[in-house]
Amino acid sequence: MNSNVKHSKFKNTGILFELLVRQVTSDMMSNQDSKAVNIIKKYFKNTEISKEYSLYNTVNSSPKLSEGKAESLINVVIEQSKKLDHNKLNKEKFNLIKEIKNNYDVDNFFKAKIDNYKTFAALYNLLESQYNKKFTDTKFLVTNKIVILEHITKELMSESKIEKKAVQEFMKEDKDVRILAYRILVEKFNTQYSDLSEDQKSVLKEYINNISDTKQLKEFLNSKFSTIKEEIEDLIPLIDDKVVAIKLNEVLNFIKPISPKQNIKDEDLVSLMNYYELIKEIKVNLNE
């Protein structure tokens, strides 16, 4: 009788870390002491969980590789997973979930959308299948491995993945915990823009505070996309340079709302911030 491993986000180390990081950011932007900071320090530093998370991060943060190299990387991850103390690992996960439940509303905590959720789930299934004695479904194993191969071979390393490496410094060095929040979301904007406008700051705050409420966040972002489009349309007639005006009209074609069936991605936030920056530049040039 075939038996499949059932994915559990409650036990998926990669997903748990991502959710905790988002919670830290949300807490700090709300000027609250973040219990998640202590949880990360306790369970993701010099523990079996931290060792397993490094395997998830190796796959998730991998640069684009050839299929052969991707296959080798997966095999190494599997072999390293076998070296973990799984009894200790399971106890740590049990205690980790217990602390999350004691400090946060579990439904809201696990509601947030996670980038590369499918990859994290596939890796969980692949690793867990190594220890499931009843597991005999080869097709299930191959399907999950293909998901991971596609992630490694088709995706170039993005800014969000590079930022995740910065988070790793948090586990290596006990620095000011506020750096964690800024590195996750704010740092890339501070490096790109000399000074964030009030509109940009309000977008960041709303994005973090409603990261678990995807419906409300989507409505907020779409309202901002609509407002930005209208503002650019109003500015175009004021521009004397016809070439610039034509290019701005082309930009308008790219400003579209997030569809109801589409998940919110970090790229949506980046686009919104860039549009606000564009409006700032237009206004500066008009005033010169």
Side-chain angles (χ1 to χ4, degrees):
M1 181 177 179
N2 288 349
S3 176
N4 286 348
V5 174
K6 185 177 181 181
H7 175 248
S8 171
K9 58 186 176 183
F10 292 91
K11 297 179 181 179
N12 189 311
T13 304
I15 290 176
L16 287 171
F17 181 79
E18 295 289 319
L19 291 172
L20 283 166
V21 167
R22 285 175 180 264
Q23 190 63 55
V24 169
T25 310
S26 178
D27 290 343
M28 289 184 174
M29 291 299 289
S30 299
N31 293 319
Q32 299 176 5
D33 289 333
S34 181
K35 301 293 185 182
V37 169
N38 292 328
I39 294 175
I40 290 176
K41 284 184 177 182
K42 183 176 180 179
Y43 291 98
F44 288 86
K45 195 172 182 180
N46 300 322
T47 60
E48 290 303 298
I49 286 180
S50 68
K51 294 175 185 177
E52 185 177 61
Y53 175 70
S54 69
L55 301 180
Y56 279 88
N57 189 58
T58 295
V59 171
N60 187 50
S61 300
S62 172
K64 184 178 180 182
L65 298 175
S66 66
E67 187 172 344
K69 290 182 178 179
E71 182 87 31
S72 297
L73 185 148
I74 294 173
N75 291 336
V76 169
V77 166
I78 291 174
E79 289 304 311
Q80 290 301 311
S81 175
K82 292 178 180 178
K83 297 178 182 179
L84 298 176
D85 184 335
H86 286 271
N87 288 329
K88 187 177 179 180
L89 178 62
N90 289 333
K91 289 179 181 178
E92 289 179 356
K93 287 185 181 181
F94 176 83
N95 292 327
L96 169 58
I97 295 299
K98 185 178 179 180
E99 287 205 35
I100 291 174
K101 289 181 177 179
N102 288 339
N103 289 286
Y104 296 101
D105 181 295
V106 177
D107 291 335
N108 287 332
F109 183 85
F110 282 97
K111 191 187 295 182
K113 297 292 183 181
I114 300 297
D115 290 341
N116 296 327
Y117 180 96
K118 188 176 180 181
T119 303
F120 280 128
L123 184 56
Y124 173 90
N125 292 336
L126 195 61
L127 296 182
E128 288 297 311
S129 68
Q130 307 298 313
Y131 311 99
N132 187 335
K133 295 180 180 179
K134 297 180 180 179
F135 176 77
T136 56
D137 192 340
T138 304
K139 182 178 179 181
F140 177 77
L141 177 62
V142 171
T143 299
N144 283 280
K145 194 168 186 178
I146 288 174
V147 170
I148 301 170
L149 282 170
E150 288 179 344
H151 170 78
I152 299 174
T153 58
K154 290 186 178 180
E155 289 190 358
L156 291 171
M157 196 166 187
S158 64
E159 283 188 43
S160 62
K161 290 176 186 174
I162 295 173
E163 289 165 4
K164 292 298 187 299
K165 284 192 173 181
V167 177
Q168 296 309 302
E169 296 302 316
F170 174 80
M171 294 187 289
K172 295 177 181 177
E173 302 176 33
D174 190 13
K175 296 182 178 180
D176 185 344
V177 293
R178 291 187 180 275
I179 293 177
L180 179 63
Y182 286 110
R183 280 181 175 173
I184 298 301
L185 193 57
V186 181
E187 184 177 5
K188 65 181 175 185
F189 298 116
N190 285 337
T191 55
Q192 287 179 348
Y193 316 131
S194 58
D195 186 27
L196 294 179
S197 67
E198 290 304 314
D199 284 326
Q200 289 171 317
K201 290 177 182 178
S202 71
V203 168
L204 287 178
K205 186 174 182 180
E206 191 74 18
Y207 183 83
I208 294 168
N209 288 341
N210 289 304
I211 196 68
S212 297
D213 190 342
T214 53
K215 182 179 180 182
Q216 182 173 331
L217 180 58
K218 188 176 292 185
E219 290 176 354
F220 172 81
L221 294 177
N222 282 340
S223 70
K224 292 300 180 182
F225 278 125
S226 178
T227 300
I228 284 174
K229 190 168 186 177
E230 292 176 1
E231 189 165 358
I232 293 177
E233 287 174 339
D234 292 338
L235 289 171
I236 289 176
L238 305 177
I239 298 173
D240 295 328
D241 192 320
K242 292 183 178 180
V243 175
V244 173
I246 291 173
K247 289 183 178 180
L248 287 176
N249 274 304
E250 293 176 353
V251 169
L252 291 176
N253 295 325
F254 293 100
I255 305 177
K256 298 178 181 179
I258 306 169
S259 68
K261 295 182 179 180
Q262 181 182 347
N263 291 331
I264 298 172
K265 300 179 180 179
D266 289 344
E267 287 78 4
D268 297 316
L269 176 64
V270 174
S271 295
L272 193 55
M273 297 293 282
N274 284 336
Y275 290 138
Y276 273 121
E277 193 68 14
L278 175 62
I279 289 173
K280 280 200 298 183
E281 290 297 321
I282 294 173
K283 289 181 177 179
V284 168
N285 290 330
L286 286 175
N287 291 329
E288 289 182 349

